[in-house]
Amino acid sequence: MDKLEVKATLSVTDEGEIVGTAWPFNAGPDTTGDIITKGAFNFVSNELPMLFGHDVGDLIGTWTDAVETADGLTVKGKLHLDQPRARTILGMIKSGLVSGLSIGFKTKSWTQRGRNRVIAALDLYEVSVVRNPAHPRARISSAKEYDRASAVASVIRDFTASI
């Protein structure tokens, strides 16, 4: 039986708008050895739930856009700031305490490559805001600060590629 699996850049505005990379392509495997290929994502809904820590009882917002780009799965959404819990999460993101994203999905097709599982097809069910994402490059990058964050991410990507 397949299981629901959890993986994942992230930024936030004062209005609770969040932009980030939920899964980076061409960035190596995550901590469990998974690599997700471009074209693998099947979106089960037009709007995905934004959870905190993959807890279905902790709905903090809604992802209104999720698209595959050359760099990875990019998501954009809004915290439900009418809820006290979402306002608390906003504070944690703004302070830097929480900066990761992680995806919840069900694998549909994969192959084994050495110690890594290469996932070619999956159903995406949710994207969570987390402290420690399974993929170290799955991070929040604020909407107002998106261009600057993107430039910094590019420098980091170039630097780590040369190591």
Side-chain angles (χ1 to χ4, degrees):
M1 179 168 143
D2 284 331
K3 59 184 177 183
L4 183 65
E5 300 181 24
V6 180
K7 308 287 175 198
T9 321
L10 181 67
S11 73
V12 66
T13 66
D14 289 339
E15 296 78 32
E17 295 172 341
I18 295 179
V19 174
T21 301
W23 183 270
F25 294 134
N26 303 314
D30 68 3
T31 57
T32 64
D34 284 347
I35 298 170
I36 299 174
T37 61
K38 186 167 174 44
F41 289 93
N42 174 49
F43 305 99
V44 296
S45 172
N46 288 339
E47 292 187 344
L48 293 168
M50 181 188 304
L51 304 178
F52 186 73
H54 301 290
D55 182 350
V56 295
D58 204 357
L59 177 67
I60 58 170
T62 303
W63 298 108
T64 54
D65 292 313
V67 295
E68 285 190 39
T69 67
D71 294 329
L73 176 66
T74 300
V75 292
K76 181 178 178 183
K78 187 157 171 81
L79 289 164
H80 297 164
L81 294 182
D82 57 330
Q83 302 296 319
R85 177 70 171 151
R87 290 193 301 271
T88 300
I89 301 300
L90 173 63
M92 292 190 316
I93 294 169
K94 288 174 70 175
S95 72
L97 181 62
V98 174
S99 65
L101 290 175
S102 185
I103 60 176
F105 64 94
K106 182 177 179 182
T107 303
K108 293 171 64 178
S109 172
W110 63 277
T111 57
Q112 195 70 34
R113 185 186 310 151
R115 296 176 58 185
N116 299 320
R117 184 172 67 151
V118 181
I119 300 171
L122 62 84
D123 287 334
L124 181 65
Y125 289 97
E126 58 94 1
V127 179
S128 283
V129 174
V130 297
R131 180 164 171 77
N132 297 309
H135 202 291
R137 290 193 178 174
R139 298 287 172 183
I140 299 171
S141 58
S142 175
K144 285 185 179 175
E145 300 292 326
Y146 186 72
D147 292 336
R148 187 173 65 169
S150 180
V152 170
S154 179
V155 169
I156 293 169
R157 187 172 35 252
D158 293 344
F159 174 76
T160 55
S162 64
I163 295 178

